[in-house]
Amino acid sequence: MKKVKFTDERLIQLLKQAGATFKLSASDKGILKAELMDVIKTGPDRIKRGSRKVAYQFSRRKYTMPLIPIIIAALIAIGGGTAALADSAKPGDFLYPVDQWVERFQERVTWTDEAKAGLLARFSEERLQELQALLEIDPEQLQERARERWRAHKEMATEHLAESVERANMVRERFEGRLTGVTDEDEQVEIQQVIDTMDEIIARREQRMEEVESSEFPGAGQVPVRQQVQQWTRENQETMEQVREQIQEEFGDEMPGFGAGEPGQHGKGQSSVDPAIALLPQSPIQLPVADGLVEAQQEWQKRVAETGQQIAAKLAEVLEQVDPFEDPNRLPQPELLVEA
Amino acid sequence: MKNEELNKLAARTQNGDEQAFGQIFDVLSDRIYKFLAFRVKNPADAQDLTSQVFLEAWQSLPRYNPSRSFLPWVFSIARYKLIDHYRKFRSTVSLDAVMDLAGDTDIQVEAEKNADVVRVLQALDRLPELYQTVLKLKFVEELEYSEIAEITGKTENSLRVIVKRGLDKLRQIL
């Protein structure tokens, strides 16, 4: 079937045709007029200039009126739906900053220690899930996935903005309607301030909507946030493993937590495992290396090895200064390392 | 009837001249009805709203400023009535109601003749209220931008942007 092209001229013509279909018949018009004139003859109250009735009703809300645009703006800006959608966002997603903002907000408004602990535990779970989701993405599919997500977010953002503009317009029109019924100048000024504020909000959202609608997919150069995160994750794990191996190689069984025995068996019955070292992975994690990252990985490994050697040298230097009568399994305190 | 003549009738009505108001109704009722029916798609509701618009105009005319054009003033009332109506009955109005129009409007016959008209009406329903109003006033009522500006409170430049974007949005939906 041939697709009809709706040019501006064609759309205008169709609108005019549509308008022509809505006609008030002569009989209906006559009935309406007769009814209207009857009502008018019964003498309905006509609004007089300077009517105080409307003014009094409005003045009861005088003190709450200035807050209304602020509340409306906050509601539009926060929007429960956006926050809910943002909750599932991952690093690199359009709504991820919103997710982070909502979490910070929740943390601030949570007062009791128990509740805060529960909240932070949930956030930690979310971080782990985000990390897992990022690791599961095939780098080769990142571009297409990013494009799809970008398109979906663009549509969603446009839709949200259009809805917010419509809501703001509705509010504006209500106040504009009230303005026609108010004669008191002070009240007119107050209402006009609300209308002006709404105009600003509407203009900002319309401008933002135009920007969103006209935006193009940023392309390969600006998308690899997830690739970057993946790389950082691998580097972090590799670094920890390298450092651990370097320390173990330098000190062998002298270092608690790395000897033949189980962690916690050193130090004459007391737990001598440094919590920081205990967090190091106990076995290397094998992860695929994306194309183009091999050289970067090798360079990073070289740097990690150098860093490990430097740390080992510092450790040896500090250990030499330890009192020989002290427990040989005693670890140098972290602050000594910092000072050194 | 020219706007100047309408303004004179309005000035007479301000002072309680019922006959002048009857003439205003004769001149404007078709246009107001069309403006309302375009959105509510139900002849009975559109007629009811038309009555309400003119009754409110009669009651509010003492407040009307004769130095301003009367036509946009009446359309402003119609627009607020429409917004109020939709606020109350939003969930009860269906897009498909356009196909249910019957009686004197002959919309069904017209719609069958030209399905594109129905498509445009349905697409128009999906636009924000302001866009619908501006497109209707501009292309159906053929009002000037200056008159639409008085009704909507927007600047003429802003209205030109809205018209362009409204047509673009219609095209996207279609």
Side-chain angles (χ1 to χ4, degrees):
Chain A
M1 183 184 287
K2 186 182 177 184
K3 192 175 179 180
V4 180
K5 182 170 171 57
F6 288 99
T7 60
D8 282 358
E9 291 71 23
R10 173 70 175 148
L11 284 172
I12 293 167
Q13 183 193 14
L14 288 170
L15 284 169
K16 286 181 177 175
Q17 282 181 30
T21 60
F22 297 106
K23 290 175 188 166
L24 188 60
S25 70
S27 59
D28 283 339
K29 188 173 174 177
I31 292 168
L32 279 183
K33 184 179 178 184
E35 288 174 350
L36 182 67
M37 299 313 283
D38 278 349
V39 173
I40 287 172
K41 280 184 172 55
T42 61
D45 290 337
R46 299 185 83 185
I47 298 169
K48 294 173 184 171
R49 288 179 185 276
S51 166
R52 297 304 301 168
K53 188 180 177 185
V54 177
Y56 173 71
Q57 285 174 348
F58 181 76
S59 63
R60 287 188 300 180
R61 301 170 191 169
K62 187 172 183 177
Y63 298 103
T64 55
M65 287 298 289
L67 294 173
I68 289 175
I70 299 168
I71 294 167
I72 292 164
L75 287 173
I76 292 171
I78 294 171
T82 306
L85 284 167
D87 194 36
S88 58
K90 294 186 286 296
D93 282 348
F94 184 73
L95 288 175
Y96 190 70
V98 180
D99 182 30
Q100 297 294 292
W101 188 88
V102 170
E103 285 188 0
R104 286 197 296 276
F105 180 77
Q106 285 179 311
E107 195 179 335
R108 282 193 183 188
V109 299
T110 306
W111 298 105
T112 66
D113 289 341
E114 291 82 359
K116 192 163 262 186
L119 196 65
L120 292 173
R122 185 166 72 79
F123 292 163
S124 302
E125 284 296 317
E126 284 185 17
R127 292 293 87 73
L128 286 173
Q129 287 170 8
E130 288 163 11
L131 189 63
Q132 188 60 37
L134 290 169
L135 289 172
E136 286 172 358
I137 298 172
D138 179 358
E140 291 180 3
Q141 295 177 358
L142 279 175
Q143 286 298 321
E144 193 48 42
R145 283 179 64 104
R147 186 188 294 277
E148 284 173 15
R149 281 186 171 273
W150 181 87
R151 194 183 300 121
H153 286 313
K154 180 182 172 181
E155 285 175 8
M156 187 174 66
T158 309
E159 196 175 318
H160 276 259
L161 284 166
E163 284 173 3
S164 72
V165 167
E166 187 170 8
R167 282 200 301 272
N169 269 318
M170 294 281 281
V171 174
R172 185 195 183 283
E173 282 152 10
R174 286 186 64 182
F175 282 102
E176 209 170 42
R178 288 186 180 186
L179 190 61
T180 60
V182 173
T183 52
D184 185 88
E185 283 187 7
D186 289 342
E187 289 162 1
Q188 283 180 341
V189 169
E190 285 172 354
I191 297 178
Q192 192 56 51
Q193 283 176 347
V194 175
I195 292 171
D196 292 344
T197 306
M198 294 310 300
D199 278 341
E200 288 173 15
I201 292 171
I202 291 164
R204 279 203 301 272
R205 271 157 183 68
E206 284 180 342
Q207 185 186 354
R208 184 68 188 132
M209 193 156 71
E210 283 181 12
E211 288 170 3
V212 171
E213 282 181 336
S214 61
S215 62
E216 297 291 337
F217 181 59
Q222 296 177 39
V223 174
V225 178
R226 287 182 188 159
Q227 276 177 304
Q228 218 170 21
V229 173
Q230 279 184 310
Q231 188 181 346
W232 289 339
T233 308
R234 285 193 209 101
E235 286 172 354
N236 188 36
Q237 289 168 333
E238 287 159 5
T239 304
M240 288 197 293
E241 183 61 22
Q242 289 283 342
V243 171
R244 184 176 181 276
E245 285 175 1
Q246 285 289 332
I247 293 173
Q248 191 173 17
E249 190 179 318
E250 289 291 332
F251 299 105
D253 290 346
E254 291 178 11
M255 290 295 292
F258 291 91
E262 290 299 319
Q265 289 181 342
H266 302 272
K268 294 178 182 176
Q270 64 179 3
S271 175
S272 58
V273 180
D274 187 306
I277 293 176
L279 288 173
L280 296 176
Q282 298 300 307
S283 61
I285 297 172
Q286 298 297 326
L287 289 168
V289 179
D291 292 338
L293 295 178
V294 177
E295 284 184 16
Q297 188 193 33
Q298 288 171 347
E299 176 62 25
W300 180 253
Q301 284 173 341
K302 187 180 166 189
R303 283 165 53 197
V304 167
E306 288 170 3
T307 309
Q309 285 169 359
Q310 288 171 4
I311 292 172
K314 287 288 178 191
L315 272 172
E317 190 181 326
V318 171
L319 282 172
E320 281 177 7
Q321 297 172 7
V322 175
D323 188 332
F325 297 103
E326 286 284 331
D327 181 354
N329 288 322
R330 177 179 175 273
L331 268 177
Q333 294 302 307
E335 55 268 26
L336 291 177
L337 281 173
V338 174
E339 286 171 9
Chain B
M1 183 179 281
K2 291 181 180 176
N3 281 349
E4 291 75 19
E5 293 173 50
L6 261 179
N7 295 347
K8 285 178 186 170
L9 285 174
R12 283 170 53 194
T13 308
Q14 264 192 316
N15 299 321
D17 188 336
E18 294 174 7
Q19 195 179 355
F21 188 66
Q23 289 181 51
I24 289 174
F25 181 89
D26 290 338
V27 173
L28 292 184
S29 56
D30 288 322
R31 298 180 72 176
I32 296 295
Y33 173 83
K34 187 192 290 183
F35 177 77
L36 297 166
F38 213 99
R39 181 78 191 268
V40 299
K41 314 283 188 328
N42 180 314
D45 285 347
Q47 287 174 20
D48 188 37
L49 284 171
T50 304
S51 294
Q52 289 180 34
V53 169
F54 280 96
L55 184 59
E56 180 146 339
W58 168 261
Q59 291 177 300
S60 303
L61 258 168
R63 248 190 3 244
Y64 161 69
N65 181 355
S67 64
R68 299 180 69 177
S69 184
F70 180 69
L71 187 68
W73 188 79
V74 178
F75 270 105
S76 298
I77 296 174
R79 188 181 175 217
Y80 297 130
K81 284 288 173 194
L82 202 53
I83 290 168
D84 279 343
H85 173 82
Y86 253 72
R87 194 176 297 124
K88 290 173 188 168
F89 302 105
R90 178 186 290 269
S91 60
T92 64
V93 180
S94 161
L95 286 178
D96 296 331
V98 68
M99 298 305 294
D100 297 333
L101 289 175
D104 299 321
T105 61
D106 289 331
I107 180 65
Q108 215 157 353
V109 178
E110 291 293 333
E112 284 166 6
K113 285 181 186 172
N114 193 347
D116 282 346
V117 171
V118 176
R119 290 179 63 196
V120 165
L121 281 171
Q122 289 173 329
L124 195 69
D125 264 334
R126 294 173 61 184
L127 298 187
E129 186 277 333
L130 179 66
Y131 284 68
Q132 292 186 36
T133 299
V134 172
L135 289 178
K136 278 188 293 182
L137 293 173
K138 181 64 189 162
F139 300 121
V140 180
E141 297 303 329
E142 298 182 337
L143 296 186
E144 299 296 330
Y145 278 118
S146 58
E147 292 174 314
I148 303 173
E150 282 193 53
I151 296 168
T152 60
K154 296 281 181 185
T155 64
E156 292 186 36
N157 283 336
S158 172
L159 290 171
R160 288 190 178 87
V161 173
I162 289 171
V163 165
K164 184 184 177 307
R165 293 195 61 210
L167 290 173
D168 287 344
K169 283 172 179 290
L170 276 182
R171 200 166 12 252
Q172 283 172 15
I173 295 168
L174 291 166

